[in-house]
């Protein structure tokens, strides 16, 4: 009897860490469905392929995404929640509407994806939910309040889902990515030196990259991590541990 091919859905495949994760999982033999909430990139076919463009901040849209994914593959084994929208704007200037919009993109989307796919996966053969997030779920940015607030919400959501879906045999974990070179300029604050001159701030001597995130996700969804549920795996080269030199 032929073994069932594992299927992963990536909620926002447009981001570098998500692209690297999709490539890694495909190399590992998984079928990878990719969603692009902001629209398909040029040159990629639509819903007749394994690529789709469903927004994910309204329940009806996420249910439509799930219908498409299950229609394409028949089952989902691994949900990778990768929405990660940075909006550099400090407390004193961000509007109520802007705050709500970007918390929705970073946190409400994660809740809806977890709820819709989690319940369907639990009713099927179970699986895993893995959140690609940021160390700014613990560390303030000093420049992007809606971003860090949304990241903090996702950190706790991952633990709530681990508690709830864990009872149904599923595992939910979170990857806390450190500041990568491509996003460092957007997180440079005039009141916090944390991401300024980022190459000098990482004790390991090298910045994490998308492939590091992909390796972490691949491990967390594998049988080697069968006891991991509710874990936060930080990939930052020790950045969060560093204090300024005397």
């Amino acid at each position: 009897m032929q073994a069932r091919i594992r299927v992963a859905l990536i909620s926002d495949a447009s981001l570098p860490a998500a692209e690297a994760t999709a490539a890694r999982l495909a190399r590992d033999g998984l079928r990878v469905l990719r969603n692009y909430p902001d629209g398909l990139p040029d040159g990629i076919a639509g819903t007749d392929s394994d690529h789709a463009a469903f927004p994910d901040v309204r329940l009806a849209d996420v249910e439509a995404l799930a219908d498409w994914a299950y229609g394409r593959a028949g089952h989902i084994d691994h949900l990778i929640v990768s929405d990660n929208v940075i909006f550099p704007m400090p407390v004193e200037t961000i509007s109520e509407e802007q705050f709500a919009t970007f918390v929705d993109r970073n946190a409400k989307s994660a809740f809806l994806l977890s709820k819709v796919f989690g319940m369907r996966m639990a009713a099927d053969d179970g699986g895993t939910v893995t959140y690609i997030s940021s160390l700014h779920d613990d560390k303030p940015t000093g420049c992007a309040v809606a971003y860090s607030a949304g990241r903090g919400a996702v950190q706790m959501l991952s633990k709530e889902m681990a508690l709830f879906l864990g009872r149904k045999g599923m595992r939910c974990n979170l990857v806390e990515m450190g500041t990568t070179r491509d996003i460092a300029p957007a997180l440079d604050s005039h009141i916090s030196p944390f991401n300024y001159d980022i190459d000098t701030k990482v004790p390991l001597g090298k910045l994490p990259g998308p492939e590091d995130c992909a390796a972490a996700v691949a491990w967390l969804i594998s049988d080697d991590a069968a006891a991991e549920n509710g874990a936060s795996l930080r990939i930052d080269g020790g950045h969060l541990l560093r204090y300024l030199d005397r």
Side-chain angles (χ1 to χ4, degrees):
M1 182 176 178
Q2 188 176 10
R4 187 175 87 164
I5 296 175
R6 291 189 296 155
V7 179
L9 173 79
I10 297 183
S11 68
D12 186 348
S14 67
L15 304 170
E19 290 178 347
T21 298
R24 169 61 187 267
L25 299 186
R27 288 198 303 272
D28 289 348
L30 280 72
R31 180 178 178 182
V32 181
L33 306 184
R34 297 165 170 86
N35 186 50
Y36 299 86
D38 295 319
L40 289 168
D42 292 340
I44 293 182
T47 54
D48 58 342
S49 70
D50 283 349
H51 302 79
F54 291 90
D56 57 8
V57 296
R58 293 196 314 116
L59 179 60
D61 291 328
V62 176
E63 288 176 336
L65 171 62
D67 289 342
W68 168 80
Y70 276 85
R72 287 291 300 169
H75 62 276
I76 300 296
D77 301 289
H78 308 289
L79 171 65
I80 315 299
V81 179
S82 55
D83 299 63
N84 190 61
V85 181
I86 300 174
F87 181 61
M89 187 162 288
V91 175
E92 60 265 35
T93 55
I94 191 170
S95 70
E96 178 182 357
E97 292 76 16
Q98 289 170 325
F99 184 87
T101 295
F102 286 91
V103 170
D104 281 356
R105 282 301 309 273
N106 286 310
K108 182 183 177 184
S109 59
F111 164 69
L112 293 175
L113 290 158
S114 303
K115 177 181 175 67
V116 171
F117 280 90
M119 295 304 295
R120 293 199 190 194
M121 292 164 67
D124 194 1
D125 289 329
T128 68
V129 180
T130 306
Y131 304 85
I132 298 177
S133 191
S134 163
L135 56 73
H136 286 292
D137 58 8
D138 276 327
K139 177 72 174 177
T141 64
C143 64
V145 60
Y147 177 67
S148 55
R151 297 295 82 192
V154 170
Q155 181 191 55
M156 185 51 66
L157 174 67
S158 71
K159 299 182 187 307
E160 292 284 358
M161 297 309 295
L163 182 63
F164 176 70
L165 292 176
R167 302 176 307 155
K168 303 178 183 296
M170 294 181 60
R171 299 188 294 110
C172 302
N173 296 293
L174 178 123
V175 176
E176 292 180 310
M177 277 300 296
T179 304
T180 53
R181 196 175 308 281
D182 60 305
I183 67 172
L187 293 173
D188 184 13
S189 165
H190 70 282
I191 62 173
S192 170
F194 184 72
N195 288 311
Y196 173 72
D197 197 15
I198 186 69
D199 290 280
T200 69
K201 302 289 179 62
V202 178
L204 191 60
K206 69 180 281 285
L207 296 181
E211 292 75 18
D212 299 307
C213 177
V217 173
W219 179 73
L220 283 170
I221 72 172
S222 74
D223 291 341
D224 290 338
E228 295 293 338
N229 186 41
S232 295
L233 182 58
R234 185 176 300 141
I235 310 296
D236 74 338
H239 185 192
L240 195 62
L241 304 178
R242 185 184 183 279
Y243 290 85
L244 295 176
D245 295 332
R246 294 180 62 184

